[in-house]
Amino acid sequence: MPKQVDHEARRQEIGAAVCRVMATRGLDAVSLRHVAAEAGVSMGRVQHYFGTKDEMLLFAFRLISERVAHRLGQVRRDTPQAFLRAVLVELLPISEAARAEAPVLAAFLAQAVVEPRLAEQLRAGSDEMVAFVAEQIRAARPEGDALRDAKALLAFTDGLMLQVLIGQVDRDSAVDLLDHQLARVLTTG
């Protein structure tokens, strides 16, 4: 009897290998050869599932986005303020999972500047996140422009993520700065 192959699982394995290569060696190192070696498969198998490097990158981006969404879905829902803080802290490279994902997300962000399809996906995910954060702000503080504040908080958090990654700001300082900014948003409306 022929062996059953789970094609989606194979694509997931290769996508995870793309993310590991990006996290350890950067976007420029993502090649058929490096991804195949990281995944422990032949270059032909990688080509079977992904016709181009861009297809691999888009799939890997969706994979990492799903991981982040899953992790954020695990955040405990207490008060709206505490929940919002926990979500924003989880976006910083502080937890082990976030430290593994952040370099990949930063590389995707840089690539999106020159890759319109990736930029489109980033914008769509960003719009969803802005709406979600705005909803939490409204629950914590009904007055004021929650949408504008959500955009500002997420931009601030993205900047902190990058600063932590390059060592400009340490993790404790990043959380302190985030707490400071969040307190301003939730008290000024």
Side-chain angles (χ1 to χ4, degrees):
M1 181 173 208
K3 182 179 174 185
Q4 290 281 347
V5 176
D6 184 344
H7 295 288
E8 184 56 26
R10 291 263 172 95
R11 287 174 59 84
Q12 297 271 336
E13 290 168 9
I14 294 168
V18 171
C19 292
R20 289 192 303 273
V21 169
M22 287 177 69
T24 58
R25 293 182 256 171
L27 185 64
D28 289 341
V30 175
S31 68
L32 234 52
R33 184 170 48 88
H34 288 130
V35 170
E38 182 67 34
V41 301
S42 69
M43 288 181 13
R45 174 149 307 149
V46 174
Q47 287 176 312
H48 174 76
Y49 289 104
F50 300 99
T52 66
K53 180 178 176 177
D54 283 346
E55 285 179 23
M56 263 193 319
L57 290 173
L58 286 170
F59 184 84
F61 175 71
R62 285 191 293 276
L63 183 65
I64 200 86
S65 296
E66 289 169 5
R67 286 182 188 170
V68 171
H70 176 75
R71 196 164 38 79
L72 293 178
Q74 304 301 310
V75 173
R76 199 169 132 205
R77 292 180 178 259
D78 289 324
T79 66
Q81 296 93 329
F83 178 57
L84 178 57
R85 179 191 184 272
V87 165
L88 294 172
V89 167
E90 198 58 41
L91 292 173
L92 297 174
I94 293 172
S95 71
E96 186 177 330
R99 281 194 310 271
E101 294 161 355
V104 178
L105 292 170
F108 277 126
L109 185 62
Q111 184 66 19
V113 172
V114 296
E115 173 52 50
R117 291 185 303 165
L118 186 54
E120 182 180 323
Q121 290 202 5
L122 275 169
R123 283 191 303 272
S126 178
D127 290 346
E128 290 174 17
M129 188 60 140
V130 166
F132 171 77
V133 169
E135 180 181 321
Q136 304 314 308
I137 292 170
R138 278 187 210 96
R141 181 214 73 204
E143 71 286 340
D145 188 344
L147 192 60
R148 184 192 66 194
D149 289 336
K151 289 176 182 179
L153 268 177
L154 288 168
F156 184 80
T157 304
D158 283 349
L160 278 177
M161 176 192 70
L162 294 172
Q163 289 189 350
V164 171
L165 285 176
I166 65 169
Q168 180 78 28
V169 174
D170 64 62
R171 291 182 218 153
D172 291 338
S173 295
V175 172
D176 181 58
L177 290 166
L178 181 64
D179 284 340
H180 174 74
Q181 192 64 26
L182 185 58
R184 293 181 68 179
V185 165
L186 294 179
T187 58
T188 60

